PDB file of all heavy atoms in Angstrom:
ATOM      1  N   ALA A   1       0.836  -1.206   0.000  1.00  0.00           N
ATOM      2  CA  ALA A   1       0.000   0.000   0.000  1.00  0.00           C
ATOM      3  C   ALA A   1       0.873   1.259   0.000  1.00  0.00           C
ATOM      4  O   ALA A   1       0.634   2.200  -0.774  1.00  0.00           O
ATOM      5  CB  ALA A   1      -0.920  -0.014   1.216  1.00  0.00           C
ATOM      6  N   LYS A   2       1.872   1.270   0.850  1.00  0.00           N
ATOM      7  CA  LYS A   2       2.774   2.424   0.927  1.00  0.00           C
ATOM      8  C   LYS A   2       3.560   2.592  -0.370  1.00  0.00           C
ATOM      9  O   LYS A   2       3.711   3.712  -0.872  1.00  0.00           O
ATOM     10  CB  LYS A   2       3.732   2.248   2.100  1.00  0.00           C
ATOM     11  CG  LYS A   2       4.733   3.384   2.252  1.00  0.00           C
ATOM     12  CD  LYS A   2       5.654   3.126   3.438  1.00  0.00           C
ATOM     13  CE  LYS A   2       6.690   4.237   3.572  1.00  0.00           C
ATOM     14  NZ  LYS A   2       7.608   3.958   4.713  1.00  0.00           N
ATOM     15  N   GLN A   3       4.039   1.465  -0.911  1.00  0.00           N
ATOM     16  CA  GLN A   3       4.837   1.535  -2.133  1.00  0.00           C
ATOM     17  C   GLN A   3       4.008   2.044  -3.311  1.00  0.00           C
ATOM     18  O   GLN A   3       4.488   2.854  -4.124  1.00  0.00           O
ATOM     19  CB  GLN A   3       5.417   0.153  -2.466  1.00  0.00           C
ATOM     20  CG  GLN A   3       6.306  -0.444  -1.391  1.00  0.00           C
ATOM     21  CD  GLN A   3       7.501   0.434  -1.055  1.00  0.00           C
ATOM     22  OE1 GLN A   3       7.902   1.283  -1.853  1.00  0.00           O
ATOM     23  NE2 GLN A   3       8.053   0.242   0.116  1.00  0.00           N
ATOM     24  N   ILE A   4       2.770   1.583  -3.427  1.00  0.00           N
ATOM     25  CA  ILE A   4       1.929   2.036  -4.535  1.00  0.00           C
ATOM     26  C   ILE A   4       1.533   3.496  -4.347  1.00  0.00           C
ATOM     27  O   ILE A   4       1.458   4.264  -5.321  1.00  0.00           O
ATOM     28  CB  ILE A   4       0.702   1.112  -4.693  1.00  0.00           C
ATOM     29  CG1 ILE A   4       1.154  -0.262  -5.215  1.00  0.00           C
ATOM     30  CG2 ILE A   4      -0.333   1.730  -5.647  1.00  0.00           C
ATOM     31  CD1 ILE A   4       0.051  -1.296  -5.300  1.00  0.00           C
ATOM     32  N   TYR A   5       1.296   3.904  -3.104  1.00  0.00           N
ATOM     33  CA  TYR A   5       1.003   5.318  -2.845  1.00  0.00           C
ATOM     34  C   TYR A   5       2.177   6.194  -3.286  1.00  0.00           C
ATOM     35  O   TYR A   5       1.982   7.241  -3.917  1.00  0.00           O
ATOM     36  CB  TYR A   5       0.717   5.538  -1.361  1.00  0.00           C
ATOM     37  CG  TYR A   5       0.392   6.965  -1.020  1.00  0.00           C
ATOM     38  CD1 TYR A   5      -0.889   7.471  -1.181  1.00  0.00           C
ATOM     39  CD2 TYR A   5       1.391   7.827  -0.543  1.00  0.00           C
ATOM     40  CE1 TYR A   5      -1.182   8.810  -0.884  1.00  0.00           C
ATOM     41  CE2 TYR A   5       1.111   9.147  -0.248  1.00  0.00           C
ATOM     42  CZ  TYR A   5      -0.176   9.631  -0.421  1.00  0.00           C
ATOM     43  OH  TYR A   5      -0.454  10.948  -0.132  1.00  0.00           O
ATOM     44  N   ASN A   6       3.392   5.772  -2.968  1.00  0.00           N
ATOM     45  CA  ASN A   6       4.571   6.540  -3.372  1.00  0.00           C
ATOM     46  C   ASN A   6       4.746   6.537  -4.888  1.00  0.00           C
ATOM     47  O   ASN A   6       5.281   7.488  -5.465  1.00  0.00           O
ATOM     48  CB  ASN A   6       5.823   5.972  -2.713  1.00  0.00           C
ATOM     49  CG  ASN A   6       5.851   6.225  -1.212  1.00  0.00           C
ATOM     50  OD1 ASN A   6       5.204   7.146  -0.719  1.00  0.00           O
ATOM     51  ND2 ASN A   6       6.596   5.414  -0.484  1.00  0.00           N
ATOM     52  N   PHE A   7       4.279   5.468  -5.533  1.00  0.00           N
ATOM     53  CA  PHE A   7       4.377   5.347  -6.994  1.00  0.00           C
ATOM     54  C   PHE A   7       3.317   6.194  -7.693  1.00  0.00           C
ATOM     55  O   PHE A   7       3.606   6.917  -8.642  1.00  0.00           O
ATOM     56  CB  PHE A   7       4.228   3.878  -7.378  1.00  0.00           C
ATOM     57  CG  PHE A   7       4.084   3.622  -8.842  1.00  0.00           C
ATOM     58  CD1 PHE A   7       5.154   3.783  -9.710  1.00  0.00           C
ATOM     59  CD2 PHE A   7       2.854   3.201  -9.366  1.00  0.00           C
ATOM     60  CE1 PHE A   7       5.012   3.538 -11.081  1.00  0.00           C
ATOM     61  CE2 PHE A   7       2.711   2.956 -10.723  1.00  0.00           C
ATOM     62  CZ  PHE A   7       3.796   3.126 -11.582  1.00  0.00           C
ATOM     63  N   ASN A   8       2.070   6.107  -7.210  1.00  0.00           N
ATOM     64  CA  ASN A   8       0.971   6.857  -7.828  1.00  0.00           C
ATOM     65  C   ASN A   8      -0.134   7.047  -6.795  1.00  0.00           C
ATOM     66  O   ASN A   8      -1.033   6.213  -6.673  1.00  0.00           O
ATOM     67  CB  ASN A   8       0.436   6.117  -9.051  1.00  0.00           C
ATOM     68  CG  ASN A   8      -0.619   6.920  -9.807  1.00  0.00           C
ATOM     69  OD1 ASN A   8      -1.044   7.997  -9.354  1.00  0.00           O
ATOM     70  ND2 ASN A   8      -1.060   6.406 -10.941  1.00  0.00           N
ATOM     71  N   LYS A   9      -0.072   8.132  -6.067  1.00  0.00           N
ATOM     72  CA  LYS A   9      -1.019   8.371  -4.974  1.00  0.00           C
ATOM     73  C   LYS A   9      -2.441   8.611  -5.469  1.00  0.00           C
ATOM     74  O   LYS A   9      -3.397   8.561  -4.684  1.00  0.00           O
ATOM     75  CB  LYS A   9      -0.563   9.541  -4.116  1.00  0.00           C
ATOM     76  CG  LYS A   9      -0.569  10.886  -4.814  1.00  0.00           C
ATOM     77  CD  LYS A   9      -0.074  11.972  -3.862  1.00  0.00           C
ATOM     78  CE  LYS A   9      -0.061  13.334  -4.533  1.00  0.00           C
ATOM     79  NZ  LYS A   9       0.450  14.386  -3.612  1.00  0.00           N
ATOM     80  N   ASN A  10      -2.604   8.859  -6.771  1.00  0.00           N
ATOM     81  CA  ASN A  10      -3.935   9.094  -7.328  1.00  0.00           C
ATOM     82  C   ASN A  10      -4.561   7.840  -7.925  1.00  0.00           C
ATOM     83  O   ASN A  10      -5.625   7.903  -8.538  1.00  0.00           O
ATOM     84  CB  ASN A  10      -3.857  10.187  -8.395  1.00  0.00           C
ATOM     85  CG  ASN A  10      -3.424  11.525  -7.825  1.00  0.00           C
ATOM     86  OD1 ASN A  10      -3.929  11.948  -6.786  1.00  0.00           O
ATOM     87  ND2 ASN A  10      -2.485  12.180  -8.487  1.00  0.00           N
ATOM     88  N   ALA A  11      -3.895   6.708  -7.755  1.00  0.00           N
ATOM     89  CA  ALA A  11      -4.408   5.457  -8.319  1.00  0.00           C
ATOM     90  C   ALA A  11      -5.724   5.054  -7.662  1.00  0.00           C
ATOM     91  O   ALA A  11      -5.979   5.369  -6.492  1.00  0.00           O
ATOM     92  CB  ALA A  11      -3.375   4.348  -8.148  1.00  0.00           C
ATOM     93  N   LYS A  12      -6.547   4.349  -8.427  1.00  0.00           N
ATOM     94  CA  LYS A  12      -7.768   3.734  -7.892  1.00  0.00           C
ATOM     95  C   LYS A  12      -7.422   2.310  -7.478  1.00  0.00           C
ATOM     96  O   LYS A  12      -6.749   1.582  -8.217  1.00  0.00           O
ATOM     97  CB  LYS A  12      -8.858   3.700  -8.954  1.00  0.00           C
ATOM     98  CG  LYS A  12      -9.427   5.060  -9.325  1.00  0.00           C
ATOM     99  CD  LYS A  12     -10.677   5.346  -8.528  1.00  0.00           C
ATOM    100  CE  LYS A  12     -11.454   6.515  -9.107  1.00  0.00           C
ATOM    101  NZ  LYS A  12     -12.717   6.746  -8.384  1.00  0.00           N
ATOM    102  N   ILE A  13      -7.920   1.913  -6.291  1.00  0.00           N
ATOM    103  CA  ILE A  13      -7.602   0.596  -5.750  1.00  0.00           C
ATOM    104  C   ILE A  13      -8.904  -0.123  -5.422  1.00  0.00           C
ATOM    105  O   ILE A  13      -9.798   0.454  -4.788  1.00  0.00           O
ATOM    106  CB  ILE A  13      -6.766   0.694  -4.453  1.00  0.00           C
ATOM    107  CG1 ILE A  13      -5.640   1.724  -4.598  1.00  0.00           C
ATOM    108  CG2 ILE A  13      -6.246  -0.678  -4.054  1.00  0.00           C
ATOM    109  CD1 ILE A  13      -4.529   1.350  -5.510  1.00  0.00           C
ATOM    110  N   PHE A  14      -9.013  -1.395  -5.853  1.00  0.00           N
ATOM    111  CA  PHE A  14     -10.175  -2.181  -5.452  1.00  0.00           C
ATOM    112  C   PHE A  14      -9.771  -3.630  -5.229  1.00  0.00           C
ATOM    113  O   PHE A  14      -8.731  -4.097  -5.697  1.00  0.00           O
ATOM    114  CB  PHE A  14     -11.322  -2.052  -6.453  1.00  0.00           C
ATOM    115  CG  PHE A  14     -11.148  -2.796  -7.754  1.00  0.00           C
ATOM    116  CD1 PHE A  14     -11.819  -3.994  -7.988  1.00  0.00           C
ATOM    117  CD2 PHE A  14     -10.341  -2.290  -8.769  1.00  0.00           C
ATOM    118  CE1 PHE A  14     -11.694  -4.658  -9.193  1.00  0.00           C
ATOM    119  CE2 PHE A  14     -10.215  -2.951  -9.976  1.00  0.00           C
ATOM    120  CZ  PHE A  14     -10.890  -4.145 -10.188  1.00  0.00           C
ATOM    121  N   ALA A  15     -10.608  -4.316  -4.459  1.00  0.00           N
ATOM    122  CA  ALA A  15     -10.358  -5.720  -4.121  1.00  0.00           C
ATOM    123  C   ALA A  15     -11.665  -6.490  -4.182  1.00  0.00           C
ATOM    124  O   ALA A  15     -12.748  -5.922  -4.007  1.00  0.00           O
ATOM    125  CB  ALA A  15      -9.753  -5.832  -2.722  1.00  0.00           C
ATOM    126  N   VAL A  16     -11.554  -7.780  -4.441  1.00  0.00           N
ATOM    127  CA  VAL A  16     -12.687  -8.710  -4.369  1.00  0.00           C
ATOM    128  C   VAL A  16     -12.349  -9.716  -3.267  1.00  0.00           C
ATOM    129  O   VAL A  16     -11.278 -10.318  -3.287  1.00  0.00           O
ATOM    130  CB  VAL A  16     -12.911  -9.450  -5.697  1.00  0.00           C
ATOM    131  CG1 VAL A  16     -14.177 -10.300  -5.617  1.00  0.00           C
ATOM    132  CG2 VAL A  16     -12.979  -8.477  -6.867  1.00  0.00           C
ATOM    133  N   ILE A  17     -13.245  -9.870  -2.312  1.00  0.00           N
ATOM    134  CA  ILE A  17     -12.993 -10.791  -1.208  1.00  0.00           C
ATOM    135  C   ILE A  17     -14.029 -11.911  -1.217  1.00  0.00           C
ATOM    136  O   ILE A  17     -15.150 -11.730  -1.670  1.00  0.00           O
ATOM    137  CB  ILE A  17     -12.988 -10.076   0.154  1.00  0.00           C
ATOM    138  CG1 ILE A  17     -14.308  -9.348   0.409  1.00  0.00           C
ATOM    139  CG2 ILE A  17     -11.808  -9.110   0.237  1.00  0.00           C
ATOM    140  CD1 ILE A  17     -14.421  -8.747   1.804  1.00  0.00           C
ATOM    141  N   ARG A  18     -13.627 -13.045  -0.693  1.00  0.00           N
ATOM    142  CA  ARG A  18     -14.446 -14.249  -0.708  1.00  0.00           C
ATOM    143  C   ARG A  18     -14.479 -14.846   0.688  1.00  0.00           C
ATOM    144  O   ARG A  18     -13.527 -14.681   1.462  1.00  0.00           O
ATOM    145  CB  ARG A  18     -13.820 -15.250  -1.696  1.00  0.00           C
ATOM    146  CG  ARG A  18     -14.537 -16.571  -1.856  1.00  0.00           C
ATOM    147  CD  ARG A  18     -13.765 -17.441  -2.843  1.00  0.00           C
ATOM    148  NE  ARG A  18     -14.485 -18.669  -3.177  1.00  0.00           N
ATOM    149  CZ  ARG A  18     -14.031 -19.582  -4.041  1.00  0.00           C
ATOM    150  NH1 ARG A  18     -12.848 -19.400  -4.633  1.00  0.00           N
ATOM    151  NH2 ARG A  18     -14.741 -20.671  -4.302  1.00  0.00           N
ATOM    152  N   ASN A  19     -15.565 -15.523   1.021  1.00  0.00           N
ATOM    153  CA  ASN A  19     -15.602 -16.266   2.284  1.00  0.00           C
ATOM    154  C   ASN A  19     -14.230 -16.916   2.492  1.00  0.00           C
ATOM    155  O   ASN A  19     -13.789 -17.717   1.667  1.00  0.00           O
ATOM    156  CB  ASN A  19     -16.691 -17.336   2.193  1.00  0.00           C
ATOM    157  CG  ASN A  19     -16.830 -18.151   3.473  1.00  0.00           C
ATOM    158  OD1 ASN A  19     -15.873 -18.387   4.194  1.00  0.00           O
ATOM    159  ND2 ASN A  19     -18.040 -18.606   3.748  1.00  0.00           N
ATOM    160  N   PRO A  20     -13.512 -16.558   3.568  1.00  0.00           N
ATOM    161  CA  PRO A  20     -12.134 -17.040   3.717  1.00  0.00           C
ATOM    162  C   PRO A  20     -12.021 -18.555   3.849  1.00  0.00           C
ATOM    163  O   PRO A  20     -10.960 -19.116   3.564  1.00  0.00           O
ATOM    164  CB  PRO A  20     -11.648 -16.336   4.988  1.00  0.00           C
ATOM    165  CG  PRO A  20     -12.892 -15.991   5.736  1.00  0.00           C
ATOM    166  CD  PRO A  20     -13.923 -15.701   4.685  1.00  0.00           C
ATOM    167  N   ILE A  21     -13.109 -19.216   4.247  1.00  0.00           N
ATOM    168  CA  ILE A  21     -13.091 -20.680   4.346  1.00  0.00           C
ATOM    169  C   ILE A  21     -13.127 -21.282   2.946  1.00  0.00           C
ATOM    170  O   ILE A  21     -12.362 -22.192   2.614  1.00  0.00           O
ATOM    171  CB  ILE A  21     -14.268 -21.162   5.208  1.00  0.00           C
ATOM    172  CG1 ILE A  21     -14.151 -20.583   6.618  1.00  0.00           C
ATOM    173  CG2 ILE A  21     -14.324 -22.690   5.267  1.00  0.00           C
ATOM    174  CD1 ILE A  21     -15.420 -20.583   7.414  1.00  0.00           C
ATOM    175  N   GLU A  22     -14.002 -20.755   2.100  1.00  0.00           N
ATOM    176  CA  GLU A  22     -14.035 -21.186   0.703  1.00  0.00           C
ATOM    177  C   GLU A  22     -12.721 -20.834  -0.007  1.00  0.00           C
ATOM    178  O   GLU A  22     -12.212 -21.605  -0.819  1.00  0.00           O
ATOM    179  CB  GLU A  22     -15.195 -20.511  -0.029  1.00  0.00           C
ATOM    180  CG  GLU A  22     -16.574 -20.935   0.433  1.00  0.00           C
ATOM    181  CD  GLU A  22     -17.666 -20.196  -0.318  1.00  0.00           C
ATOM    182  OE1 GLU A  22     -17.314 -19.355  -1.190  1.00  0.00           O
ATOM    183  OE2 GLU A  22     -18.849 -20.437  -0.038  1.00  0.00           O
ATOM    184  N   ARG A  23     -12.207 -19.650   0.297  1.00  0.00           N
ATOM    185  CA  ARG A  23     -10.948 -19.218  -0.319  1.00  0.00           C
ATOM    186  C   ARG A  23      -9.808 -20.145   0.068  1.00  0.00           C
ATOM    187  O   ARG A  23      -8.955 -20.490  -0.771  1.00  0.00           O
ATOM    188  CB  ARG A  23     -10.625 -17.787   0.116  1.00  0.00           C
ATOM    189  CG  ARG A  23      -9.580 -17.089  -0.755  1.00  0.00           C
ATOM    190  CD  ARG A  23      -8.659 -16.198   0.048  1.00  0.00           C
ATOM    191  NE  ARG A  23      -7.762 -16.989   0.861  1.00  0.00           N
ATOM    192  CZ  ARG A  23      -6.633 -17.541   0.412  1.00  0.00           C
ATOM    193  NH1 ARG A  23      -6.268 -17.393  -0.843  1.00  0.00           N
ATOM    194  NH2 ARG A  23      -5.872 -18.264   1.215  1.00  0.00           N
ATOM    195  N   TYR A  24      -9.781 -20.567   1.339  1.00  0.00           N
ATOM    196  CA  TYR A  24      -8.738 -21.481   1.807  1.00  0.00           C
ATOM    197  C   TYR A  24      -8.795 -22.786   1.008  1.00  0.00           C
ATOM    198  O   TYR A  24      -7.768 -23.274   0.526  1.00  0.00           O
ATOM    199  CB  TYR A  24      -8.924 -21.767   3.295  1.00  0.00           C
ATOM    200  CG  TYR A  24      -7.854 -22.674   3.870  1.00  0.00           C
ATOM    201  CD1 TYR A  24      -6.754 -22.138   4.535  1.00  0.00           C
ATOM    202  CD2 TYR A  24      -7.929 -24.060   3.732  1.00  0.00           C
ATOM    203  CE1 TYR A  24      -5.759 -22.960   5.050  1.00  0.00           C
ATOM    204  CE2 TYR A  24      -6.940 -24.888   4.230  1.00  0.00           C
ATOM    205  CZ  TYR A  24      -5.863 -24.334   4.891  1.00  0.00           C
ATOM    206  OH  TYR A  24      -4.876 -25.166   5.381  1.00  0.00           O
ATOM    207  N   GLU A  25      -9.995 -23.343   0.852  1.00  0.00           N
ATOM    208  CA  GLU A  25     -10.153 -24.602   0.123  1.00  0.00           C
ATOM    209  C   GLU A  25      -9.690 -24.443  -1.334  1.00  0.00           C
ATOM    210  O   GLU A  25      -8.974 -25.308  -1.875  1.00  0.00           O
ATOM    211  CB  GLU A  25     -11.606 -25.047   0.163  1.00  0.00           C
ATOM    212  CG  GLU A  25     -11.864 -26.402  -0.487  1.00  0.00           C
ATOM    213  CD  GLU A  25     -13.323 -26.821  -0.356  1.00  0.00           C
ATOM    214  OE1 GLU A  25     -14.129 -26.431  -1.224  1.00  0.00           O
ATOM    215  OE2 GLU A  25     -13.646 -27.520   0.615  1.00  0.00           O
ATOM    216  N   SER A  26     -10.069 -23.350  -1.966  1.00  0.00           N
ATOM    217  CA  SER A  26      -9.683 -23.110  -3.354  1.00  0.00           C
ATOM    218  C   SER A  26      -8.178 -22.929  -3.475  1.00  0.00           C
ATOM    219  O   SER A  26      -7.543 -23.469  -4.393  1.00  0.00           O
ATOM    220  CB  SER A  26     -10.409 -21.873  -3.889  1.00  0.00           C
ATOM    221  OG  SER A  26     -10.071 -21.627  -5.227  1.00  0.00           O
ATOM    222  N   ALA A  27      -7.590 -22.169  -2.556  1.00  0.00           N
ATOM    223  CA  ALA A  27      -6.145 -21.945  -2.593  1.00  0.00           C
ATOM    224  C   ALA A  27      -5.378 -23.237  -2.325  1.00  0.00           C
ATOM    225  O   ALA A  27      -4.327 -23.482  -2.930  1.00  0.00           O
ATOM    226  CB  ALA A  27      -5.753 -20.884  -1.570  1.00  0.00           C
ATOM    227  N   TYR A  28      -5.897 -24.075  -1.452  1.00  0.00           N
ATOM    228  CA  TYR A  28      -5.275 -25.368  -1.158  1.00  0.00           C
ATOM    229  C   TYR A  28      -5.189 -26.200  -2.437  1.00  0.00           C
ATOM    230  O   TYR A  28      -4.139 -26.783  -2.766  1.00  0.00           O
ATOM    231  CB  TYR A  28      -6.091 -26.091  -0.087  1.00  0.00           C
ATOM    232  CG  TYR A  28      -5.396 -27.241   0.602  1.00  0.00           C
ATOM    233  CD1 TYR A  28      -4.933 -27.108   1.901  1.00  0.00           C
ATOM    234  CD2 TYR A  28      -5.227 -28.465  -0.023  1.00  0.00           C
ATOM    235  CE1 TYR A  28      -4.293 -28.160   2.554  1.00  0.00           C
ATOM    236  CE2 TYR A  28      -4.613 -29.530   0.609  1.00  0.00           C
ATOM    237  CZ  TYR A  28      -4.142 -29.364   1.903  1.00  0.00           C
ATOM    238  OH  TYR A  28      -3.526 -30.413   2.535  1.00  0.00           O
ATOM    239  N   ASN A  29      -6.284 -26.238  -3.190  1.00  0.00           N
ATOM    240  CA  ASN A  29      -6.296 -26.971  -4.455  1.00  0.00           C
ATOM    241  C   ASN A  29      -5.335 -26.346  -5.467  1.00  0.00           C
ATOM    242  O   ASN A  29      -4.673 -27.061  -6.231  1.00  0.00           O
ATOM    243  CB  ASN A  29      -7.714 -27.012  -5.025  1.00  0.00           C
ATOM    244  CG  ASN A  29      -8.577 -28.078  -4.370  1.00  0.00           C
ATOM    245  OD1 ASN A  29      -8.496 -29.249  -4.716  1.00  0.00           O
ATOM    246  ND2 ASN A  29      -9.405 -27.683  -3.421  1.00  0.00           N
TER     247      ASN A  29
END
C-alpha cells in the first residue's frame, strides 16, 4: 500500500474478497 502510494497516490484501488473458508479450500487446491 505504501509503495503504490509513493508510486501513484492518485491510483484507484479495489479488491474482491471471498468467504475465507471457501478461499482457503480453493487456494489449497
Side-chain angles (χ1 to χ4, degrees):
K2 179 180 178 181
Q3 301 301 339
I4 290 175
Y5 181 83
N6 290 337
F7 171 71
N8 185 354
K9 66 181 180 181
N10 297 314
K12 291 265 194 176
I13 315 290
F14 74 103
V16 186
I17 58 174
R18 180 181 187 179
N19 181 328
I21 299 161
E22 293 179 0
R23 197 217 71 82
Y24 182 97
E25 184 177 87
S26 181
Y28 196 106
N29 280 279

